[in-house]
Amino acid sequence: MSEPAALHLPVMEREIVEFMPVLDEPLVVVDCTIGFGGHSAAMTQHFRAEDRLVGLDRDEDALAHCRKRFGDAPFQVTLIHSGFDHVDEMLEREGIQHAHYILFDIGFSSPQVDRAERGFSFIKDGPLDMRMDRTQPITAASILASWDDRALAELFKNYGDERFARKISKAIMRRRKEEPIETTQELADVVLNAIPKRYQHQEGIHPATRVFQALRIEVNDELDQLRKGLEGGLKRLARGGRLAVLSYHSLEHRIVKEWFRRFCGLVGPLPGPEQLAPAKKAPGRVLVRKAITPCAAEKSRNPRCRSAQLRVVEREA
């Protein structure tokens, strides 16, 4: 096993495999965030020659790793450089009308976080990048350099639930007048100094955690991508097929719950501008009434999974 795969621990791997549908027909499994292939390797362990794996990812490094990992697979493998918001059109392009199991793992992998040059974390100093797809122009540094203090404060509040969003945005403005904020450690220091000392360690996380989360969500357009991905995935789900989502924070949890509720005919509008027309008969049913969370042993083994929640729906009609 190569180094990235060895370093990354797939979240709730056993549970993901257990929810795979058992069908007589050839399976099409779509891993919408294939990453370094951990979940896909588990899901395809008992694949037949006629089964097919489709993997999408915005990270070319991850796809390059998967091309090697699944290069000798005895079943068909299709790897696509794309965000999961394009899952519908990507499956159409490949001539796939329906998929039997679709997985969205909305988190990011340890190899991404731990590589300083990707700029996702303040644990190791690196450029303020945070792009999943490094071909896109917007970075965390460009947002900090161009947005005004009110826009930044709203970003930190809405996407990070940061109580000191205004103080932090004003501190960024002051620092920006002196020199640009270009590295993860520079930003972490600005945030730390903006928050009153008595509040800096009350929640057991680094004071900059919420700001980094908000910037990462904005850079990668994560919430709109999730909405579009769920819409496309549910559209492509075969009868008897299942769609599973691993989400990691409250904003993601809320979107997944509301899309699943509507798909299963429960009350409540969908979030965002996308709206599905009301169905006479709900096409799906919820397989998980209450979100599944990692067991204590997994949390101990992989602390980064502690906020993960797994939800699954099945198409009945």
Side-chain angles (χ1 to χ4, degrees), residues 191-229:
V191 174
L192 184 64
N193 292 330
I195 296 176
K197 290 188 181 298
R198 65 180 180 277
Y199 296 108
Q200 287 182 1
H201 300 288
Q202 281 192 343
E203 298 179 334
I205 59 174
H206 190 284
T209 299
R210 296 183 185 280
V211 168
F212 272 69
Q213 172 184 297
L215 280 168
R216 193 200 73 235
I217 290 173
E218 179 62 30
V219 167
N220 297 290
D221 193 24
E222 293 180 16
L223 301 184
D224 279 341
Q225 289 229 345
L226 177 56
R227 294 184 184 104
K228 294 172 183 175

Side-chain angles (χ1 to χ4, degrees), residues 1 46 50 52-53 73 81 85 96 146 154 159 206 223 227 229 247 286 290 303 309 315:
M1 185 180 294
H46 300 294
E50 63 267 26
R52 183 175 184 180
L53 170 68
H81 181 220
D85 55 325
I96 299 172
S146 59
E154 288 180 8
Y159 287 176
H206 190 284
L223 301 184
R227 294 184 184 104
S247 54
V286 176
K290 184 178 180 181
Q309 294 186 6
R315 177 178 284 278

Side-chain angles (χ1 to χ4, degrees), residues 278-300:
K280 293 181 180 178
K281 183 180 185 302
R285 69 184 181 100
V286 176
L287 294 185
V288 181
R289 290 294 175 186
K290 184 178 180 181
I292 298 173
T293 57
C295 66
E298 182 172 5
K299 290 179 182 178
S300 176

Side-chain angles (χ1 to χ4, degrees), residues 119 126-130 138-149 151-153 155-156 165 168-177 179-191 211-212 214-216 218-219:
L128 269 171
D129 193 318
M130 298 193 190
I138 298 174
T139 67
S142 68
I143 289 175
L144 292 179
S146 59
W147 287 27
D148 63 31
D149 61 328
L152 286 173
L155 174 65
F156 301 152
I168 293 168
S169 68
K170 287 185 176 298
I172 290 171
M173 293 299 110
R174 290 193 295 270
R175 174 63 178 267
R176 215 165 73 179
K177 290 179 180 179
E179 57 182 340
I181 303 172
E182 297 179 335
T183 73
T184 56
Q185 192 58 60
E186 288 171 356
L187 175 58
D189 289 343
V190 171
V191 174
V211 168
F212 272 69
L215 280 168
R216 193 200 73 235
E218 179 62 30
V219 167

Side-chain angles (χ1 to χ4, degrees), residues 222-289:
E222 293 180 16
L223 301 184
D224 279 341
Q225 289 229 345
L226 177 56
R227 294 184 184 104
K228 294 172 183 175
L230 290 173
E231 181 181 22
L234 292 170
K235 176 182 175 182
R236 289 286 168 177
L237 198 59
R239 186 170 184 175
R242 294 173 177 177
L243 186 146
V245 184
L246 280 166
S247 54
Y248 293 85
H249 56 75
S250 60
L251 297 173
E252 294 173 347
H253 301 331
R254 188 177 307 122
I255 291 171
V256 176
K257 284 190 291 185
E258 291 182 349
W259 274 89
F260 278 16
R261 283 175 61 83
R262 182 61 177 270
F263 182 67
C264 297
L266 303 174
V267 297
L270 288 169
E274 303 85 357
Q275 297 290 326
L276 294 176
K280 293 181 180 178
K281 183 180 185 302
R285 69 184 181 100
V286 176
L287 294 185
V288 181
R289 290 294 175 186

Side-chain angles (χ1 to χ4, degrees), residues 6 13 17 44 49 119 123 130 163 180 243 258 261 296 301 304 308:
E13 178 183 301
V17 173
T44 60
I123 296 173
M130 298 193 190
R163 66 183 297 187
L243 186 146
E258 291 182 349
R261 283 175 61 83
R301 206 167 51 242
R304 285 175 176 165

Side-chain angles (χ1 to χ4, degrees), residues 3 7 29 58 111 141 158 175 214 280 292 317:
E3 184 179 358
L7 289 174
V29 171
R58 290 188 285 177
N158 294 337
R175 174 63 178 267
K280 293 181 180 178
I292 298 173

Side-chain angles (χ1 to χ4, degrees), residues 17-205:
V17 173
E18 287 178 349
F19 276 107
M20 285 186 65
V22 178
L23 302 171
D24 292 332
E25 60 190 295
L27 289 178
V28 176
V29 171
V30 182
D31 191 340
C32 292
T33 46
I34 195 168
F36 291 89
H39 283 124
S40 284
M43 291 188 294
T44 60
Q45 187 173 6
H46 300 294
F47 256 30
R48 302 156 296 187
E50 63 267 26
D51 296 334
R52 183 175 184 180
L53 170 68
V54 180
L56 282 68
D57 210 286
R58 290 188 285 177
D59 189 336
E60 277 285 18
D61 292 345
L63 289 174
H65 172 82
C66 285
R67 290 187 188 102
K68 295 179 181 178
R69 184 168 190 173
F70 298 102
D72 298 324
F75 48 84
Q76 187 175 355
V77 178
T78 304
L79 299 174
I80 304 170
H81 181 220
S82 172
F84 52 70
D85 55 325
H86 297 297
V87 60
D88 181 20
E89 60 195 82
M90 291 299 105
L91 293 181
E92 180 71 24
R93 190 187 74 179
E94 296 296 325
I96 299 172
Q97 294 304 309
H98 298 102
H100 303 95
Y101 196 39
I102 301 177
L103 172 65
F104 291 84
D105 181 355
I106 313 302
F108 45 95
S109 66
S110 294
Q112 291 170 325
V113 177
D114 294 337
R115 289 174 59 188
E117 68 269 22
R118 299 303 299 269
F120 286 107
S121 173
F122 42 76
I123 296 173
K124 296 179 181 178
D125 195 21
L128 269 171
D129 193 318
M130 298 193 190
R131 293 173 297 175
M132 294 287 189
D133 181 353
R134 288 188 283 182
T135 64
Q136 73 175 48
I138 298 174
T139 67
S142 68
I143 289 175
L144 292 179
S146 59
W147 287 27
D148 63 31
D149 61 328
R150 289 185 179 276
L152 286 173
E154 288 180 8
L155 174 65
F156 301 152
K157 178 62 177 176
N158 294 337
Y159 287 176
D161 197 24
E162 174 54 63
R163 66 183 297 187
F164 297 106
R166 197 82 171 112
K167 287 181 177 292
I168 293 168
S169 68
K170 287 185 176 298
I172 290 171
M173 293 299 110
R174 290 193 295 270
R175 174 63 178 267
R176 215 165 73 179
K177 290 179 180 179
E178 301 171 3
E179 57 182 340
I181 303 172
E182 297 179 335
T183 73
T184 56
Q185 192 58 60
E186 288 171 356
L187 175 58
D189 289 343
V190 171
V191 174
L192 184 64
N193 292 330
I195 296 176
K197 290 188 181 298
R198 65 180 180 277
Y199 296 108
Q200 287 182 1
H201 300 288
Q202 281 192 343
E203 298 179 334
I205 59 174

